[in-house]
Amino acid sequence: MLTLTFHGAAGCVTGFCALLQVDQSRFLIDCGMFQGPKTLRALNHEPFPFDAGTIDAVLLTHAHIDHSGLLPKLVKAGFRGDILATRATRDLCEVMLADSADIQQGDVDHLNRRNQRRGVALVEPIYGPEDVAPTLALFRTVKFGDWVEVGPDLRARYWPAGHLLGAASIELEAGTGPDMQRLLFSGDLGSGDQPYLVRPDGPAGVDHVILESTYGDRLRDDMDLAHRRGLLAGEMRKARDAGGPLLMPTFAIGRAQELILDMLAIMEDEPDLATEIFLDSPLAIEATEVFLRRGWNSDASDNPYLALRGAPRLHSLLRPQDSDGLERLTDWHIILAGSGMCDAGRIRRHLKRLLWRKETTVLITGFQAAGSLGRTLLELPSMVRIQGEDVRVRARIRELDVYSGHADAASLAAWLAAREPVRGQVFLAHGEPVALEGLRTRLTQAGRAAGSISIPQLDQSFALTASAVTPLDGPDARLVPGAAARPDWHNDRSRLLEALNERLQGLATNAEREALLASLIATVMPAPDARR
């Protein structure tokens, strides 16, 4: 019997984790960390909805934290099987997971200092630096195109996904004899037209496909390198004219390296835009070494990342004190800092000190999950809360989406069409509800039967045969449908506090402020008689 359960990135874009059971064997495809609203991120701290010790192997598509970030937690919980990944993915995970552990430890230390002052119980990190080495010891590297035996009833073949260095789509042959089924997990897919990345590939004629849908409702122009650099140069010019700095929340693996390559080329062609670039992300700095070592592009027959070695005007800031020194700079300069969705890392400190300055430009270049600080900034608020503090937003907030490593709706449909015939089901995952429905509509309009497309909910299970799927009853999902992809009460509380502060500051007298507060207090606090 073959069953498939979606324990992550179902109805949202983060935390991908699928459990495949083949008779008595159990395998995970990815084990990602949830990002976005606090309600969703809270799942990272809860026990897995399965017994980690019963998992026979993990098949990892790529190194991004929303696909790999809970691997140390899995090992800490008792997993002892192989983690199959390409060599580049393994090397990127070595720096990515260590950075994740450090960030979690730092965030928990900061939170616990606040909790102690408030008399709130202390919390523990999901995992710590000591859990990374045992995880890396379980990695088993695979080559694109080679079949590998994963278990007695499962073998796998990795295909280039074109999303990130080392990223893969994974083809599986599950079961034996006439009951054998072929599944294809797309992983995260590139469009095939992005500079520096190979074109995605995959087999045709499988039984079932699990397809990512991040941009399932969007079409983007296919930007060649010159056009893309032209758009970036325009943003750099406007930021310089505003007085600088240009602050870029950056995904450290892939996005940071591409942006720097393009900015260096722009500065060479347009010397009036030349300035200092500060890479304030230890993860991006260490990951760059992996790109220098593993970044050979088979389509282009070169390693385009070699231009980063010894690059002029590029300053890598590893130590916290190096990052602190940026506070002394006031004129035109560029800072790239993690994280890409502004929910962790050094970017938050820079946002706290720069968002209120009208000469600052914040340029967002990647997908922002619902409930993340990055998504909030794109909604152009007058104020945001960062680490419990209100920060006025006077900076220019700009967006440039041509750097996304994800295929748009047309490219996703084209990739799927190249996999035909798909005899059974297409599962749409790794997308927010609007994107999932948009891609389903596009696929049905292209001729795929509506009944052959499924959009699974979090923790939903399916029994698979070669040509059909059957939803199974099981435990209740950890979140109600739709909750994973929308702002939660934490976001609402932040907006309320921001609006209240705005209103109080706008009132003319203390009497008006006291009256407003009294009305709110009467709403949320019982009268003295009611408390007795």
Side-chain angles (χ1 to χ4, degrees):
M1 181 178 179
L2 203 64
T3 62
L4 177 63
T5 306
F6 292 84
H7 288 306
C12 65
V13 296
T14 67
F16 191 85
C17 180
L19 173 61
L20 180 67
Q21 182 159 343
V22 186
D23 293 327
Q24 301 305 310
S25 301
R26 292 154 62 85
F27 308 93
L28 292 184
I29 295 82
D30 291 345
C31 191
M33 182 175 288
F34 291 102
Q35 299 164 297
K38 286 187 178 180
T39 299
L40 184 59
R41 283 184 278 138
L43 297 181
N44 295 323
H45 295 269
E46 295 182 5
F48 287 111
F50 50 79
D51 182 352
T54 67
I55 302 300
D56 294 284
V58 177
L59 299 100
L60 185 60
T61 61
H62 66 287
H64 278 149
I65 207 73
D66 62 323
H67 292 258
S68 70
L70 292 186
L71 286 172
K73 176 184 175 181
L74 188 74
V75 174
K76 189 176 180 180
F79 171 72
R80 296 296 181 268
D82 289 334
I83 302 171
L84 278 69
T86 64
R87 170 61 68 178
T89 294
R90 187 264 174 220
D91 288 356
L92 288 172
C93 280
E94 182 173 4
V95 296
M96 191 121 193
L97 296 177
D99 181 79
S100 173
D102 287 341
I103 286 176
Q104 288 175 63
Q105 188 66 62
D107 286 351
V108 164
D109 290 345
H110 175 83
L111 177 60
N112 280 339
R113 286 193 292 271
R114 291 172 57 196
N115 286 348
Q116 283 180 314
R117 292 193 295 268
R118 295 181 298 178
V120 177
L122 303 185
V123 298
E124 295 287 336
I126 303 168
Y127 54 84
E130 69 279 2
D131 299 307
V132 175
T135 303
L136 295 172
L138 299 179
F139 271 75
R140 171 185 167 196
T141 59
V142 300
K143 294 180 179 180
F144 286 117
D146 289 353
W147 283 105
V148 293
E149 299 296 326
V150 184
D153 298 317
L154 187 74
R155 68 174 189 157
R157 181 164 55 170
Y158 281 51
W159 296 82
H163 170 71
L164 172 72
L165 182 67
S169 300
I170 303 178
E171 177 188 5
L172 299 176
E173 289 188 350
T176 57
D179 296 327
M180 189 270 288
Q181 298 180 48
R182 294 177 66 204
L183 284 72
L184 179 61
F185 288 80
S186 72
D188 287 358
L189 292 170
S191 69
D193 297 314
Q194 293 127 307
Y196 315 125
L197 295 173
V198 298
R199 296 185 65 82
D201 199 359
V206 298
D207 295 311
H208 306 290
V209 171
I210 296 83
L211 178 60
E212 72 113 326
S213 312
T214 308
Y215 284 99
D217 62 331
R218 304 190 205 178
L219 293 177
R220 286 199 311 268
D221 292 334
D222 287 328
M223 300 296 182
D224 63 22
L225 188 57
H227 193 180
R228 185 172 88 170
R229 286 177 176 172
L231 293 176
L232 179 58
E235 296 293 344
M236 292 169 62
R237 191 172 296 107
K238 292 175 183 176
R240 179 204 60 188
D241 294 345
L246 174 59
L247 179 59
M248 305 176 71
T250 308
F251 294 94
I253 295 185
R255 192 71 40 78
Q257 291 76 23
E258 292 191 21
L259 283 164
I260 294 170
L261 284 172
D262 282 359
M263 286 190 290
L264 292 173
I266 289 167
M267 291 179 187
E268 185 174 349
D269 291 341
E270 302 184 46
D272 62 308
L273 291 178
T275 189
E276 306 308 304
I277 303 171
F278 298 93
L279 182 57
D280 192 17
S281 167
L283 173 58
I285 294 165
E286 294 181 24
T288 297
E289 294 301 315
V290 180
F291 281 81
L292 292 171
R293 189 169 66 249
R294 302 284 181 193
W296 177 262
N297 185 316
S298 58
D299 290 348
S301 298
D302 73 351
N303 182 347
Y305 303 100
L306 293 178
L308 296 173
R309 179 173 285 135
R313 297 190 176 276
L314 176 60
H315 308 276
S316 298
L317 310 182
L318 271 172
R319 301 178 304 169
Q321 53 265 42
D322 296 332
S323 178
D324 294 340
L326 296 178
E327 297 182 10
R328 297 190 294 270
L329 301 179
T330 57
D331 55 0
W332 161 236
H333 59 282
I334 298 171
I335 302 171
L336 294 90
S339 67
M341 294 187 192
C342 307
D343 278 339
R346 295 182 180 179
I347 188 63
R348 293 180 296 180
R349 182 172 56 189
H350 292 303
L351 289 170
K352 285 173 70 173
R353 71 179 182 87
L354 292 173
L355 270 178
W356 62 273
R357 300 180 182 178
K358 65 181 187 313
E359 68 271 19
T360 298
T361 299
V362 178
L363 179 59
I364 292 177
T365 60
F367 185 86
Q368 305 298 307
S372 65
L373 177 56
R375 175 74 72 90
T376 300
L377 288 173
L378 289 176
E379 296 167 356
L380 304 180
S382 60
M383 189 175 292
V384 294
R385 288 181 68 81
I386 302 176
Q387 295 177 319
E389 297 182 26
D390 291 334
V391 181
R392 177 77 61 184
V393 181
R394 292 193 178 98
R396 298 170 63 251
I397 309 298
R398 302 289 297 166
E399 182 180 17
L400 192 61
D401 77 343
V402 293
Y403 282 88
S404 175
H406 288 274
D408 67 2
S411 296
L412 290 169
W415 181 88
L416 180 63
R419 313 281 78 82
E420 297 288 3
V422 178
R423 290 178 285 270
Q425 202 78 358
V426 175
F427 294 95
L428 301 183
H430 205 286
E432 294 181 354
V434 173
L436 294 163
E437 290 297 339
L439 186 55
R440 172 154 62 182
T441 298
R442 176 175 288 269
L443 296 179
T444 55
Q445 290 175 345
R448 175 160 287 278
S452 69
I453 303 172
S454 293
I455 298 179
Q457 300 295 325
L458 183 67
D459 299 322
Q460 187 175 11
S461 296
F462 299 84
L464 308 182
T465 66
S467 59
V469 302
T470 303
L472 299 174
D473 293 331
D476 291 339
R478 288 168 289 167
L479 293 178
V480 298
R486 61 174 180 255
D488 61 9
W489 69 269
H490 298 279
N491 301 101
D492 292 337
R493 179 181 61 180
S494 293
R495 284 194 293 269
L496 173 63
L497 293 173
E498 293 157 12
L500 176 60
N501 288 335
E502 287 278 307
R503 181 70 181 277
L504 290 170
Q505 292 171 18
L507 294 175
T509 67
N510 284 342
E512 291 176 300
R513 296 183 183 100
E514 290 167 359
L516 174 59
L517 290 172
S519 66
L520 293 173
I521 290 170
T523 301
V524 300
M525 295 177 63
D529 288 343
R531 290 197 297 266
R532 282 199 290 266

